[in-house]
Amino acid sequence: RLLLLLVVGFICGIAAEAPAEFNVVFTTTVNGGSNFTVTVQREWSPNGVDRFWSLLQPDTRYYDNNGFFRVVPGFVVQWGINGNPVVTAEWDTPIPDDPVIKSNTRGWMSFAATSEPNSRTTQLFINYQDNSGLDSSGFTPFAQVISGMDVVDAIYAGYGQEPNQGLIQAEGNAYLESEFPLLDYIITARIVEPTEDTTDNNAASVLFHCFFAMLLPFLLI
């Protein structure tokens, strides 16, 4: 019976995934509160989108108050180290790679990663130009800027790649605020609720998998 309960939990856990499509509004310090919006489709990068969805939930809000610590005009803008080192450490668990379906062209967003496989965690970047050369290295776009790309272009770039990622992870925003006072930040990152059809379809999928799991004890008799 315990084994069956574990199976039920496992199957229902698998079903707890991101919706097929949703948008996210990032409100920033650029120009005193300007925002940009990205659209996300799970089919573009299922593991990446599920992690992104989890990081945006009300009990996490991981990207709130993140600094844009790497801004390279003509290449990328990057963020995704939480202002609280404890929170950063809690999410420092890599996710499996996804196949590259879309391309790293201007306005597309991907998870940053190391040269090792399955190394994506929380850091994100938006491409400033056609960086399709990154595709062959496994950087998997999962979202596209649909409004506010001018805001992304205006993110303060004066520090370039100077902020030390290790020190951000260790000291959080205290380090950034002390050493890089002009840095721009994400104020909030909020999900724009999926359409009713998308929500209903996702809920139906969850119910189906859990209903099947509940039938397992009878099927195994």
Side-chain angles (χ1 to χ4, degrees):
R1 182 176 297 178
L2 177 60
L3 177 60
L4 290 174
L5 287 174
L6 290 173
V7 170
V8 170
F10 176 73
I11 293 176
C12 290
I14 291 175
E17 60 188 32
E21 183 175 0
F22 59 96
N23 293 347
V24 177
V25 178
F26 291 87
T27 302
T28 75
T29 57
V30 177
N31 299 324
S34 297
N35 60 56
F36 63 91
T37 301
V38 301
T39 188
V40 185
Q41 290 193 26
R42 191 174 183 274
E43 66 179 2
W44 293 339
S45 178
N47 293 315
V49 170
D50 286 350
R51 169 57 63 90
F52 185 54
W53 176 261
S54 296
L55 290 166
L56 293 167
Q57 295 309 302
D59 59 345
T60 305
R61 305 287 198 212
Y62 183 90
Y63 293 111
D64 287 14
N65 302 312
N66 275 208
F68 293 107
F69 60 79
R70 184 186 184 208
V71 188
V72 185
F75 185 43
V76 301
V77 55
Q78 186 168 329
W79 71 96
I81 302 177
N82 194 268
N84 182 341
V86 174
V87 176
T88 297
E90 287 175 352
W91 286 93
D92 191 25
T93 303
I95 59 174
D97 290 336
D98 288 307
V100 177
I101 296 175
K102 296 297 182 178
S103 185
N104 284 280
T105 53
R106 176 170 166 79
W108 282 86
M109 186 166 80
S110 300
F111 273 93
T114 70
S115 59
E116 297 296 319
N118 306 315
S119 59
R120 297 179 298 172
T121 55
T122 60
Q123 292 191 38
L124 307 174
F125 66 87
I126 291 175
N127 293 284
Y128 276 135
Q129 66 170 15
D130 183 346
N131 294 320
S132 54
L134 296 174
D135 299 351
S136 61
S137 297
F139 293 98
T140 311
F142 68 92
Q144 183 181 29
V145 177
I146 56 173
S147 68
M149 191 63 196
D150 59 322
V151 176
V152 179
D153 287 333
I155 294 169
Y156 183 75
Y159 301 122
Q161 304 184 75
E162 187 178 348
N164 184 294
Q165 294 187 33
L167 289 177
I168 306 172
Q169 292 169 342
E171 301 178 19
N173 281 358
Y175 162 69
L176 292 177
E177 292 166 0
S178 172
E179 301 296 326
F180 308 99
L182 299 180
L183 205 72
D184 273 318
Y185 291 80
I186 293 168
I187 300 172
T188 60
R190 295 291 181 267
I191 297 166
V192 178
E193 290 301 323
T195 63
E196 183 176 350
D197 288 345
T198 301
T199 304
D200 288 347
N201 289 339
N202 193 60
S205 176
V206 172
L207 289 173
F208 172 79
H209 284 88
C210 289
F211 177 72
F212 175 77
M214 291 172 65
L215 290 177
L216 276 178
F218 301 98
L219 297 175
L220 295 177
I221 292 176

